[in-house]
Amino acid sequence: MNGKDLWNALGEIDPKYIQEAEELPKRTHSLRRGMQGMAACLAIVLLSTAIMAPSLLYPSWSGWSGIGELMPEHLQWLGGLLDGAPQQTEISSGGVMSISLSQVPVNQMELPEPASSHYPALMEEDRTHWTKAQAEEYYGLDFDVLSVPVGMEAVADLSGGMDVWINQDGSMRFDGLLLRYEKDSGEYPSGTCPSLTLRASKIGLLEASLPVYETDTVQTWEFQGTQITVGLCQPEVYDETGASTESYPVYVLSFTYQGAQFQIEGVRTDLAEMVRAAATLLSGEESVEVKP
């Protein structure tokens, strides 16, 4: 059979069979694409359920935070929806830093000991006076942004600089920084007036006055990469007969920043005031909103 005979034979075939033969590959291709689309949708639904189920059952569980980074690039939008771990800090639309107190664990501590007065021998000839700018460069912070509770006045600050003692070999002998603010109206028992005190040292001068906590497990609050330990105690005030007349809060926030130890102690302050003080100091932001 030559080509002409084959052509004539094909001409005898019913046209509907030819049309069906031409449409069969198209229908098969369309069906295959439809099945692939359904499979992709089903996979996304199953993945979403598997990832979101733990968070729905256990709201505090954040084990899937960062799942978006593990997804292929074209599916990372889905990971962005699924990454729902709560953030400790955020910047609101108004540009004000916002912090939730629910993210700040408070540890019960014993009444802190007074700051150690057993400093190394300080020779007058080794004393050096630093300006405020030199002190801030040494500690790497702007102390003007430190939030101080309303009504407290400075009794020790950096307006006149600070004294340090440097050994003849150039090593630091004493670098104790002390900033203190008080509200002493005479209505509080001696030594218990509302106050905010900040101490700092790069050579371990605060080691002797570190807080002692009542539990073996001490939780920390992470703020912009700095681990901050928050301690609270409630000392009592006694009258002449030895009877307790009241108790008041004392907070101590301890952290290390750029190689220096810091302590912020607040007497008769609340947690929001203490968190705001630490956040303004470490972030350099003068305005910080603290929410419940």
Side-chain angles (χ1 to χ4, degrees):
M1 178 179 291
N2 56 29
K4 183 177 180 179
D5 296 333
L6 179 60
W7 181 261
N8 290 333
L10 290 174
E12 298 297 325
I13 298 176
D14 191 324
K16 71 175 183 178
Y17 297 116
I18 297 176
Q19 182 178 359
E20 290 178 357
E22 292 175 346
E23 291 179 352
L24 181 59
K26 297 180 180 179
R27 289 201 299 268
T28 303
H29 183 64
S30 298
L31 179 61
R32 185 182 298 113
R33 293 189 61 181
M35 292 298 292
Q36 290 175 343
M38 291 176 61
C41 291
L42 180 60
I44 292 176
V45 171
L46 292 176
L47 179 61
S48 302
T49 303
I51 292 175
M52 296 180 69
S55 297
L56 295 175
L57 295 174
Y58 308 99
S60 63
W61 188 72
S62 59
W64 286 100
S65 177
I67 188 66
E69 299 178 0
L70 303 178
M71 288 187 166
E73 183 176 354
H74 65 285
L75 287 180
Q76 287 186 359
W77 60 271
L78 177 61
L81 296 177
L82 300 176
D83 285 342
Q87 298 297 315
Q88 295 178 353
T89 61
E90 61 181 0
I91 303 299
S92 68
S93 57
V96 178
M97 179 175 292
S98 178
I99 301 174
S100 173
L101 289 182
S102 63
Q103 302 292 335
V104 183
V106 177
N107 305 276
Q108 294 299 315
M109 68 178 185
E110 298 178 7
L111 182 64
E113 296 289 336
S116 174
S117 59
H118 300 290
Y119 295 131
L122 304 178
M123 309 301 293
E124 179 63 24
E125 58 268 24
D126 297 328
R127 182 174 67 89
T128 300
H129 185 77
W130 278 357
T131 64
K132 175 177 177 291
Q134 288 175 305
E136 291 182 333
E137 181 180 3
Y138 178 76
Y139 285 106
L141 292 171
D142 178 4
F143 295 103
D144 285 340
V145 300
L146 175 69
S147 176
V148 178
V150 176
M152 292 188 185
E153 301 292 337
V155 295
D157 59 17
L158 280 176
S159 58
M162 65 177 287
D163 289 336
V164 297
W165 273 258
I166 302 177
N167 295 319
Q168 293 183 354
D169 61 2
S171 60
M172 183 63 70
R173 188 171 185 82
F174 180 85
D175 64 349
L177 172 68
L178 174 65
L179 307 180
R180 184 172 174 83
Y181 306 85
E182 293 181 357
K183 180 183 179 181
D184 191 358
S185 60
E187 59 181 298
Y188 304 101
S190 176
T192 70
C193 68
S195 64
L196 184 78
T197 304
L198 183 148
R199 300 181 179 89
S201 172
K202 280 190 174 183
I203 59 174
L205 295 180
L206 302 183
E207 293 291 344
S209 57
L210 289 176
V212 177
Y213 298 100
E214 295 181 350
T215 58
D216 294 333
T217 302
V218 179
Q219 296 180 299
T220 60
W221 164 44
E222 182 176 348
F223 177 76
Q224 295 187 347
T226 298
Q227 299 293 331
I228 303 175
T229 306
V230 181
L232 168 66
C233 66
Q234 299 273 348
E236 296 185 339
V237 177
Y238 301 91
D239 61 16
E240 295 81 1
T241 66
S244 175
T245 59
E246 67 162 330
S247 63
Y248 59 94
V250 175
Y251 285 94
V252 176
L253 274 60
S254 305
F255 57 89
T256 300
Y257 180 79
Q258 292 193 7
Q261 287 181 312
F262 286 84
Q263 282 186 8
I264 305 177
E265 180 183 278
V267 176
R268 296 186 186 270
T269 58
D270 59 38
L271 180 59
E273 291 172 324
M274 299 301 294
V275 166
R276 188 178 293 109
T280 52
L281 180 64
L282 290 172
S283 68
E285 299 285 345
E286 295 185 357
S287 180
V288 174
E289 179 184 19
V290 180
K291 300 179 179 180

